[in-house]
Amino acid sequence: MHSIPSTIRGPLFMIVATGSYLVNDTMMKLATAGLPFYEVLFLRGAAATLWGIPLLFLLGQGKQIPLILDRRVLQRNLLELAAILCYVVALANMQIADSTALGQITPLLMLVGSSILFGERIGGQRMALIGLGFIGALMVAQPTMEGISVYALLALGNAALSAARDLAGRRVPPEVPGMIVAISAVVVVLVGAGAAHLVSERGVMPEMRHLLLMAGAGFFLIFGHFFIFMAYRVGPTSAVAPFYYCFTVWAVISGLLVFGQFPNTLAVCGIVLVVGSGLTIVTLDQRRRRLTIVA
């Protein structure tokens, strides 16, 4: 990873994270055709744990497993649990375009939080480009906002909690490996989803296709958690956060390849705006670093 230039490492990690999460979401969506949602979350968490624990030992981090219970790691991942519980309820009761669009305020909240808590300077150019990325994400999602209700507030809650999660992640000590944080997130959500399933749902016996989908979803979930945490660890928030909008780009690709849903002209224009604004931010950051070195 250190061979990747520092100016693009954080944005690249965010692109990989959003792609991993979207593959996971696609497999979960396929699995929910026949299984209750919290049961799907629980099975996915169990699969991710079975993938993750051996991976920790392969990486030589087995002795650091107790760090899963580190106070700052748990604070981050309890926010992850709260965010996903809000999200699944909103998603079940809203059009997916609406819940996706409301989630796009996460990068903006991250930037405000980083400015207040960590004193990061954002600058007018970056704020304008981030605003363009937000507009592009809305062009892709194309929300109708019909039936705005408490579920919209839950979708907004998911966005706020996701931003709080990533801000809390920046307080995790550097000696805690990213994969430890990822496995801790998996375990915390596994326990929370199991409790929610027992309280609110009736269990359904999963078929083999459900188990295979959950095995795949769990695998990609680990890397989504890992790369989103590492993105903010290795890169400044102002350079990394805009690439959160890649969620919408990956969603269009998933819709096209898996569900046969073709994006319309507005969505294509939105993708161009998202990608263009992100690349411009990276270019500006590289130019600023070069000028700093010359000076």
Side-chain angles (χ1 to χ4, degrees):
M1 291 184 183
H2 294 291
S3 62
I4 303 172
S6 59
T7 52
I8 65 172
R9 199 180 304 157
L12 179 61
F13 286 177
M14 179 58 82
I15 292 170
V16 175
T18 54
S20 298
Y21 277 133
L22 213 289
V23 174
N24 154 74
D25 287 346
T26 300
M27 291 182 171
M28 285 187 64
K29 184 174 179 63
L30 292 171
T32 52
L35 291 179
F37 204 95
Y38 288 137
E39 182 176 345
V40 169
L41 278 180
F42 177 78
L43 292 173
R44 182 194 66 172
T49 303
L50 292 175
W51 282 113
I53 299 300
L55 184 58
L56 284 178
F57 284 97
L58 286 174
L59 294 172
Q61 298 173 1
K63 293 182 179 180
Q64 294 173 286
I65 287 179
L67 290 174
I68 286 175
L69 301 177
D70 178 270
R71 176 177 56 84
R72 284 157 293 190
V73 174
L74 285 177
Q75 284 175 346
R76 177 200 183 271
N77 292 330
L78 287 171
L79 289 166
E80 166 74 20
L81 172 61
I84 196 168
L85 290 179
C86 285
Y87 179 70
V88 296
V89 176
L91 187 63
N93 293 277
M94 294 178 66
Q95 293 189 28
I96 191 168
D98 295 342
S99 59
T100 300
L102 292 171
Q104 300 310 301
I105 68 169
T106 297
L108 300 176
L109 295 175
M110 268 296 296
L111 287 164
V112 173
S114 294
S115 178
I116 294 171
L117 297 176
F118 304 112
E120 280 197 16
R121 296 182 63 184
I122 301 170
Q125 281 184 319
R126 283 187 177 179
M127 279 302 298
L129 289 167
I130 291 162
L132 286 176
F134 177 67
I135 292 170
L138 291 180
M139 290 167 66
V140 175
Q142 297 173 26
T144 62
M145 294 306 170
E146 293 179 359
I148 291 294
S149 65
V150 67
Y151 303 115
L153 295 178
L154 287 173
L156 289 170
N158 166 62
L161 289 165
S162 295
R165 171 203 65 197
D166 293 328
L167 289 168
R170 294 190 53 181
R171 297 187 182 276
V172 174
E175 61 269 19
V176 178
M179 192 55 71
I180 290 287
V181 177
I183 301 304
S184 175
V186 165
V187 173
V188 169
V189 175
L190 168 67
V191 173
H197 170 61
L198 290 174
V199 169
S200 62
E201 296 175 340
R202 178 177 296 179
V204 176
M205 181 63 66
E207 300 174 5
M208 180 56 67
R209 68 182 183 89
H210 293 133
L211 296 177
L212 291 174
L213 285 168
M214 289 303 92
F219 179 81
F220 283 98
L221 176 68
I222 290 173
F223 290 100
H225 285 323
F226 172 75
F227 280 107
I228 201 168
F229 173 74
M230 292 301 297
Y232 287 114
R233 171 172 276 187
V234 305
T237 304
S238 56
V240 172
F243 287 86
Y244 189 91
Y245 296 132
C246 287
F247 263 118
T248 56
V249 179
W250 290 119
V252 169
I253 294 172
S254 172
L256 179 62
L257 297 180
V258 179
F259 302 105
Q261 299 169 342
F262 291 86
N264 57 26
T265 303
L266 185 61
V268 172
C269 292
I271 291 171
V272 172
L273 202 55
V274 167
V275 174
S277 62
L279 291 177
T280 304
I281 286 172
V282 171
T283 302
L284 289 173
D285 194 55
Q286 288 178 320
R287 184 182 301 171
R288 181 183 61 80
R289 286 172 181 266
R290 284 198 299 269
L291 290 173
T292 302
I293 292 171
V294 171

